[in-house]
Amino acid sequence: MMSLIRVFVYGTLKRAEPNYHYMVNTDNGMAKFVGKGRTVDRLPLVVASKYNIPFLLDLRGQGEHVEGEIYDVDQKMADFLDDFESHPTLYQNTPIPVEQLTNEEDQDLGDGKVTHQCSAYLLKQFKPYLAQLPCLSNYSSQGIPGVDAYMERYLRDPTEGLDFVIGEVRCRDN
């Protein structure tokens, strides 16, 4: 039997978000929706960079309990996600506890909620201003008041690669 990796997504990879198509593209591997979840620890989920990218900062105890989705993925999809999320150059693939709120059919688990250890992509080295941004409990690519909507990769300036985003948000001194 194939070993699966439990992953928590909180941003553009969620259903109805612009990068969800990568989760269901079997060329990238297999991803099975397990249910909606929420981080056990409070973490700051912020939107930053001129592309309005969601970042989950590794500042446990600050921010909100972040809502997202739990998936079981195979190794091929896990490798794809590491590459897609620029691990370890930008985000760090980090295990965090996540409380499952619904089942795979989106039915509330009520008192039957369980906690899973999930891989999630956190920003560990970041510029201090990010910790001062408004924290979200649930991300939407359509934007939040005062913040523009997410800019999909194909719309971005092709001369500005990952180094540009890293320069805007990541602090190499942390």
Side-chain angles (χ1 to χ4, degrees), residues 11-31:
T12 64
L13 291 168
K14 295 188 305 185
R15 296 175 299 168
E17 295 296 343
N19 291 323
Y20 174 67
H21 62 96
Y22 293 113
M23 297 295 288
V24 294
N25 183 342
T26 55
D27 289 343
N28 300 329
M30 186 281 300

Side-chain angles (χ1 to χ4, degrees), residues 51-65:
Y51 300 130
N52 301 307
I53 298 170
F55 295 99
L56 194 56
L57 307 181
D58 193 6
L59 287 174
R60 293 162 206 245
Q62 298 183 34
E64 304 289 335
H65 294 283

Side-chain angles (χ1 to χ4, degrees), residues 152-163:
E152 294 190 51
R153 291 179 181 201
Y154 76 92
L155 295 172
R156 299 176 192 171
D157 182 342
T159 64
E160 296 177 343
L162 179 61
D163 287 340

